[in-house]
Structure formats: C-alpha cells, structure tokens
Amino acid sequence: MAIFVVVAWVVGCSDPVEPDDKVVMVDAAAYFPMHNGDTWYYNSGNLIRKVDGDTTVNGVLCKRILKGPETDQAWSINAQSFSQHLFDGFLWFDPPLQIPLNMVKGTPFQFSSLGLVSDAFISDADSIRSYGALAFDGYITRKVNNVDLDSCFKLDYDYVSKVYLKNGSVVEDTSRYTEIWAKGIGMVFDGDIALDLANINGIDLPKLPE
C-alpha cells in the first residue's frame, strides 16, 4: 500500500480496459503474493523488497518484508483483506492498514488507523493517525519491462495524516496517491516506485516477450 506522510507514499497507465461486468474485485488474493523468498526490484534496482519468513505483530502471524537487509514491512492476508502492519521498520499500525478483497468500483472503503512509533526509533513524533478513503478504480493495463499486464487493480487513496509530536503539537497533512497491483506479481507502482522485475515463487515476472 504505498504509505502516509512521514513514511511517504502516486507512470503513466493506459486507458481502462474494463468491461462493465468487471467492476468488482475478482480473485483478489492473487494480487498479493507473499511466498518466502518472493522479491521485487523497483526503480532500476535501487529498491529491493523481499519476503523473509514469518513474524508476529500484535498476535497476528505475518510475513516479514525486507528492504535491503533491514525489516521494512509486515504483511498478512485472510479471506477478507490484505493487511499491512508495519512500515519503514518503525511504524506499527493498529488496526493494520487494509485493502479489502471484495471492493466494488465506486464504493470507497473508509479507514482510520493509529501508527505507533517504535521506542527504538529516534523521532520527534509519538504517533500518526491516518484516516480517509480507499477507492477501487477498476482494472487497467500497465506496461512493465515491455510487457502489458492486463487487469491490474488501480487503487486511489485520499487521506489525512495527523502527526502527534512529543512536544504536544500536531502536524496535519492531506494527500492523494495511486497504487497499481498486478495479478500474480504484486504492487507495480505507488507514485514513488515502479517495478522493474519480480521473482515470485522462483519465477521471474513479468515474462519478457520472446
């Protein structure tokens, strides 16, 4: 989920290629692979994310996501949603930030979550409250590595972040950004990063045209 304010989280895509009957997420769990060892290379290899086994966050079994050698995020998935529990290795969200797996185009999902700053992280901030709307904007085609990926999810965020500083003051920011997720691959774009290549379950994707 691309993220909020301090953690920073919007390329061109083609025109939508969705028939009228594709306004509901279909087989949504397939858009969020997280096998051990799955790896994503972004921005000409300058950012690498990798699934590195299991971790537990607030009693929930999650997948640990590395950015380079460091723990960056923690993900989980169930029948209802894909959840992101940790960002940038120091922000723990309760409840986790979620992408429901049954979203309908034109029906935004309202969210509100408190991000707590880890005690081990030196910061002027104590916590971050993020709230707003997540909208499923249907299916698009996205070109990655000269391959057209059809039926990508386009997700639009419109949210407010309130940063609660340790001195008692509050900094508020309003933002919008877009994420694009490809079936069987994962996130291919979030405004700041664009996918070059992924290795999912041991297979390089997307496959280059012969």
Side-chain angles (χ1 to χ4, degrees):
M1 249 182 198
I3 182 177
F4 306 107
V5 182
V6 236
V7 192
W9 296 13
V10 186
V11 274
C13 7
S14 67
D15 292 331
V17 288
E18 59 179 73
D20 290 340
D21 61 348
K22 282 199 172 181
V23 293
V24 177
M25 286 184 170
V26 176
D27 195 18
Y31 286 72
F32 306 98
M34 55 181 84
H35 313 90
N36 289 335
D38 283 357
T39 306
W40 297 266
Y41 302 87
Y42 296 97
N43 292 0
S44 301
N46 290 314
L47 172 61
I48 301 174
R49 286 187 177 142
K50 182 176 182 178
V51 181
D52 185 49
D54 297 334
T55 187
T56 300
V57 179
N58 292 332
V60 178
L61 183 64
C62 303
K63 289 296 183 182
R64 177 188 297 106
I65 311 300
L66 302 181
K67 181 169 70 174
E70 304 295 332
T71 298
D72 180 54
Q73 300 184 15
W75 301 345
S76 69
I77 192 167
N78 57 30
Q80 288 74 44
S81 65
F82 166 75
S83 297
Q84 303 180 50
H85 302 256
L86 169 70
F87 286 93
D88 261 16
F90 68 89
L91 258 185
W92 306 87
F93 279 92
D94 185 21
L97 298 166
Q98 299 177 344
I99 299 176
L101 301 183
N102 61 348
M103 295 190 72
V104 178
K105 183 178 179 181
T107 305
F109 169 68
Q110 303 294 325
F111 64 88
S112 178
S113 187
L114 183 65
L116 301 175
V117 178
S118 168
D119 292 338
F121 185 77
I122 300 174
S123 171
D124 292 334
D126 179 67
S127 61
I128 301 173
R129 169 66 68 180
S130 296
Y131 61 93
L134 163 62
F136 170 51
D137 197 29
Y139 294 87
I140 65 170
T141 296
R142 170 77 183 186
K143 187 181 290 292
V144 175
N145 210 0
N146 294 318
V147 178
D148 286 330
L149 301 177
D150 295 325
S151 299
C152 294
F153 286 166
K154 183 173 182 284
L155 303 177
D156 295 323
Y157 292 83
D158 190 345
Y159 64 92
V160 175
S161 287
K162 291 185 176 181
V163 181
Y164 296 91
L165 301 178
K166 292 176 180 177
N167 64 9
S169 59
V170 179
V171 179
E172 183 173 317
D173 182 74
T174 300
S175 299
R176 293 179 177 178
Y177 82 99
T178 295
E179 289 178 349
I180 300 172
W181 295 75
K183 187 174 183 179
I185 294 177
M187 193 178 71
V188 298
F189 176 74
D190 84 342
D192 293 321
I193 61 175
L195 184 73
D196 307 311
L197 184 71
N199 185 278
I200 306 299
N201 210 17
I203 300 174
D204 286 340
L205 296 172
K207 293 183 177 179
L208 295 172
E210 298 182 358

